[in-house]
């Protein structure tokens, strides 16, 4: 009887032990999956040669200081999926060279983008860091460092397609295709406007992107039901605030309004995260502008300006005195 009772107790204990071990195994696996999804993702263009691929990884992972990362290869299929809906004409056999790394950051960090030189040269010819930032926020990306480079001179649009693909790889984090489409449309439009105004006095890509980021911030505050006319008013206000009234023509202004209407229609404004990220980006642009102003507006520069003004006054005074 005692032996039977002992066997029963042992069986219960064994069942408990097995259940505990199983639970621990599941927890360990969950932790493993979670840590893998949090690893930085390096996206590599399929067209890179073996040597270019190795050097690209070296460039992109340098900021990690030896931290682990995972890689994915971006192909023509990814370009077709993520870029063609916004008007591009890639095919499944299109080449991909521009590459990226996305590194998740703590909540509240915002989006930071760094275009890195490849063997001492910036090969991203068209897309700017600020354009990448704005597009990333529209696509639904938040709190991340994004690094971009290319082994060959290229516009750089494929790099962000890789970032989109990296989110799809980590199951459950796939981005909204509507927001991705709006983001790509936005990036193409802003890039085009910058190219059209290249070299014009009183214009910079930073001003344009600050205006768009400020507009997103205002739109997010008003919510998903914001009207077309309200968006138009916001754009007019941001163009004025960012001193773009003398360079942005009416056609370009209408393009910006259309882009922001697409952002609204994509459902981005429903996401509370979008509001936070847009606000952070706008504040970041404003801080950068203030730093630039403070750098120029030094006592030395003010004194120099005053000296120049005084010299001009003295020059004309001497002319009139002689007369």
């Amino acid at each position: 009887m005692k032996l039977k009772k002992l066997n029963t107790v042992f069986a219960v204990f064994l069942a408990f032990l097995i259940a505990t071990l199983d639970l621990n195994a599941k927890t360990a696996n969950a932790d493993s999956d979670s840590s893998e999804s949090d690893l930085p993702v390096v996206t590599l263009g399929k067209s890179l040669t073996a040597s270019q691929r190795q050097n690209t990884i070296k460039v992109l992972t340098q900021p990690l200081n030896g931290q682990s990362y995972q890689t994915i290869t971006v192909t023509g299929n990814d370009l077709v999926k993520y870029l063609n809906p916004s008007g591009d004409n890639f095919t499944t056999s299109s080449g991909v060279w521009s590459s990226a790394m996305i590194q998740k950051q703590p909540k509240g960090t915002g989006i930071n983008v760094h275009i890195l030189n490849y063997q001492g040269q910036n090969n991203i010819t068209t897309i700017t860091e600020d354009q990448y930032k704005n597009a990333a926020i529209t696509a639904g990306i938040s709190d991340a460092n994004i690094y971009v480079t290319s082994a060959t001179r290229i516009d750089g649009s494929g790099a962000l397609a890789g970032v989109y693909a990296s989110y799809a790889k980590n199951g459950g984090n796939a981005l909204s295709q509507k927001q991705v489409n709006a983001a790509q449309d936005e990036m193409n439009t802003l890039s085009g406007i910058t190219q059209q105004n290249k070299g014009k006095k009183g214009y910079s890509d930073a001003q344009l992107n600050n205006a768009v980021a400020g507009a997103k911030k205002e739109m997010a505050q008003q919510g998903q039901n914001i009207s077309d006319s309200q968006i138009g008013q916001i754009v007019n206000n941001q163009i004025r605030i960012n001193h773009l009234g003398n360079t942005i023509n009416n056609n370009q202004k209408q393009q910006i309004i259309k882009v922001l209407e697409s952002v609204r229609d994509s459902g981005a404004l429903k996401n509370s995260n979008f509001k936070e990220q847009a606000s952070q980006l706008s504040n970041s642009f404003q801080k950068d502008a203030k730093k630039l102003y403070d750098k120029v507006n030094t006592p030395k520069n003010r004194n120099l300006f005053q000296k120049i003004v005084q010299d001009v006054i003295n020059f004309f005074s001497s002319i009139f005195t002689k007369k």
Side-chain angles (χ1 to χ4, degrees), residues 190-307:
L190 299 190
S191 176
I193 292 174
T194 286
Q195 291 300 312
Q196 292 163 18
N197 290 289
K198 198 169 184 178
K200 281 189 181 179
K201 187 178 179 181
Y203 177 88
S204 72
D205 181 73
Q207 286 172 277
L208 175 63
N209 278 275
N210 186 35
V212 171
K216 289 179 185 176
K217 179 180 177 181
E218 288 190 56
M219 288 168 61
Q221 290 170 344
Q222 295 199 34
Q224 180 63 35
N225 294 324
I226 187 170
S227 66
D228 292 355
S229 62
Q230 286 174 315
I231 292 175
Q233 291 170 7
I234 287 173
V235 170
N236 284 329
N237 184 48
Q238 287 296 327
I239 286 175
R240 179 184 58 78
I241 291 174
N242 288 279
H243 310 292
L244 290 168
N246 293 328
T247 52
I248 295 293
N249 60 41
N250 189 60
N251 180 52
Q252 291 167 345
K253 183 174 72 173
Q254 293 305 317
Q255 290 179 50
I256 296 169
I257 291 173
K258 184 178 178 182
V259 159
L260 292 174
E261 288 173 354
S262 297
V263 171
R264 175 202 59 196
D265 296 341
S266 74
L269 300 183
K270 295 177 182 177
N271 190 338
S272 60
N273 216 27
F274 175 89
K275 182 177 181 179
E276 179 184 342
Q277 297 297 309
S279 179
Q280 285 182 332
L281 181 58
S282 178
N283 293 339
S284 173
F285 279 138
Q286 290 171 15
K287 285 179 183 177
D288 289 344
K290 186 178 185 303
K291 284 179 184 176
L292 181 61
Y293 174 78
D294 290 343
K295 188 175 181 180
V296 174
N297 188 36
T298 62
K300 181 179 178 181
N301 287 344
R302 287 197 298 271
N303 291 337
L304 177 62
F305 177 74
Q306 290 170 356
K307 184 178 182 302

